[in-house]
Amino acid sequence: MSENTDTTFAPPPPPKTNTLGARVTAIFENKYIGLPALGIALLMPFITASAYSLNVMTTALIFVVLAAGLNIVVGYCGLLDLGYIAFLAVGAYTAGILSKMFELPVLFTLPAVIVMTVLAGLLIGAPTLRLRSDYLAIVTLGFGEITRITANNLQVTGGPSGIFGIPSFLTIGEFDLQQPVIFYYITVLIVAGLVLAAARLGKSRLGRAWRYVKEDEDAAEAMGIHTYKVKLLAYIFGAVWGGFAGILFASHLSAVSPQSFLFLQSALVLMAVVLGGMGNMKGVVLGALVISLLPELLRDFAEYRYLVFGVLLVVVMVFRPQGFWPARGQEAERKITAVDAAVAEGRSR
């Protein structure tokens, strides 16, 4: 009589789905959660429509576009970029220079902005993306500072004073889309489209290649992925998103100056991506809104508001190091069926 030596154990029971935590997680992981968020954004002017509120909300939405673009580079592909604000500068200066030179609405400069940001992505990405980790971070940091210093010294960019009196975003007859409420709604729709496009891009075949490169570049290359081209595409897509943010930025402020593109701005965008949850577009949007709106909500603390802001960020990162809304694994967890449980039980006897 032979003894059964099979050491296979029955799988653990499936997790409970009726707990409060499970229900909250299911709500936040719902793919349609963006629709309520969009609805809230559209209703905000009915709650507060002061010039200050509209300015803060529009600026926060532009910051969301920047965070979504940097998430493509850092969150999807794992490339540490410390000079991402340079692409915002390229987009904003291109839109400002062309619209003022030819007296065009800012919207009509979109093709030129896309071309310039793609060239900027190629210019910095092509020779440097063979570098990794700290070396790549140093090069991108230098690129951001070179862009700002160049804009500070060129006559065509207005030097230290920058460019002022940038034309309206678009004028249709006597109807000016630059009015604060109208421009806010235009920004909401553009940002929603860009965030959705970035999220879909992350789930595409190219997005999966980015994630493989992020996890293990050598293994990805061994499996047939051309890692250099994949990383270059991530950098170019991130640059285009920065260019879109530059168009909105130039139109919103009607002015562009080098002081708007300091290293601190790149650090804040990177902070939004890390704080929200790298690789998860929903978390990145949440992180961008927190980083952009929290200093304004803390204005009652006067000169201590940035101290309180910094302390809150440290507390969050200590207790939530993976971010507010971390990305889940790409492979869905295999559900245990009744057949699997019966087979496992038979083996364990």
Side-chain angles (χ1 to χ4, degrees):
M1 185 175 177
S2 61
E3 253 183 55
N4 188 0
T5 57
D6 192 348
T7 58
T8 304
F9 296 99
K16 296 180 180 180
T17 58
N18 57 350
T19 62
L20 178 61
R23 288 197 294 268
V24 172
T25 300
I27 293 173
F28 279 96
E29 292 299 333
N30 192 306
K31 63 180 180 179
Y32 298 110
I33 194 173
L35 295 178
L38 178 61
I40 293 172
L42 293 174
L43 291 174
M44 285 304 296
F46 293 96
I47 299 173
T48 171
S50 65
Y52 170 75
S53 300
L54 290 173
N55 176 63
V56 170
M57 291 188 295
T58 304
T59 304
L61 290 172
I62 296 172
F63 196 79
V64 168
V65 177
L66 285 173
L70 185 59
N71 186 56
I72 295 175
V73 180
V74 178
Y76 289 165
C77 200
L79 304 173
L80 184 57
D81 189 344
L82 296 181
Y84 184 74
I85 205 68
F87 297 123
L88 175 69
V90 171
Y93 270 110
T94 302
I97 292 171
L98 292 180
S99 61
K100 192 170 183 181
M101 183 181 299
F102 298 104
E103 293 297 326
L104 293 171
V106 174
L107 181 61
F108 291 169
T109 65
L110 177 59
V113 168
I114 292 177
V115 171
M116 289 301 297
T117 50
V118 169
L119 290 176
L122 288 171
L123 178 65
I124 183 60
T128 61
L129 284 181
R130 297 189 187 278
L131 302 174
R132 298 187 186 184
S133 63
D134 301 341
Y135 301 100
L136 179 61
I138 293 171
V139 170
T140 54
L141 172 61
F143 171 63
E145 289 301 297
I146 289 170
T147 303
R148 182 182 62 83
I149 293 171
T150 301
N152 195 60
N153 289 278
L154 288 180
Q155 185 176 359
V156 69
T157 59
S161 300
I163 303 173
F164 297 91
I166 297 174
S168 171
F169 182 77
L170 181 63
T171 302
I172 303 174
E174 297 182 356
F175 188 65
D176 189 4
L177 299 184
Q178 195 63 36
Q179 299 176 29
V181 176
I182 298 174
F183 186 73
Y184 169 78
Y185 279 118
I186 292 173
T187 305
V188 168
L189 296 178
I190 293 175
V191 171
L194 291 172
V195 169
L196 179 61
R200 299 302 300 171
L201 191 61
K203 296 179 180 179
S204 66
R205 181 178 180 181
L206 178 60
R208 292 194 297 271
W210 285 336
R211 294 179 189 275
Y212 298 153
V213 170
K214 176 184 176 181
E215 293 299 327
D216 193 326
E217 186 173 341
D218 295 328
E221 191 161 6
M223 294 300 294
I225 296 175
H226 197 303
T227 56
Y228 176 73
K229 290 182 179 179
V230 165
K231 291 192 294 183
L232 186 58
L233 283 173
Y235 215 73
I236 290 173
F237 275 109
V240 171
W241 259 248
F244 274 104
I247 292 176
L248 295 173
F249 181 83
S251 183
H252 175 51
L253 298 181
S254 300
V256 182
S257 67
Q259 293 305 311
S260 301
F261 311 109
L262 300 174
F263 167 70
L264 176 61
Q265 301 302 319
S266 290
L268 287 175
V269 180
L270 181 61
M271 189 185 304
V273 174
V274 175
L275 189 67
M278 289 192 299
N280 186 2
M281 192 56 65
K282 301 171 188 174
V284 168
V285 171
L286 178 61
L289 291 176
V290 169
I291 293 295
S292 56
L293 295 178
L294 192 57
E296 300 299 328
L297 298 176
L298 295 174
R299 279 195 175 274
D300 291 340
F301 292 93
E303 65 270 19
Y304 297 104
R305 64 178 176 140
Y306 285 109
L307 174 61
V308 177
F309 178 59
V311 170
L312 290 176
L313 291 180
V314 171
V315 170
V316 170
M317 294 312 296
V318 167
F319 292 98
R320 190 71 175 175
Q322 70 272 34
F324 287 133
W325 203 336
R328 298 181 63 184
Q330 294 303 295
E331 293 296 331
E333 186 177 349
R334 185 170 178 267
K335 295 182 179 180
I336 301 172
T337 64
V339 175
D340 294 332
V343 170
E345 185 179 357
R347 287 180 177 178
S348 62
R349 288 177 180 176

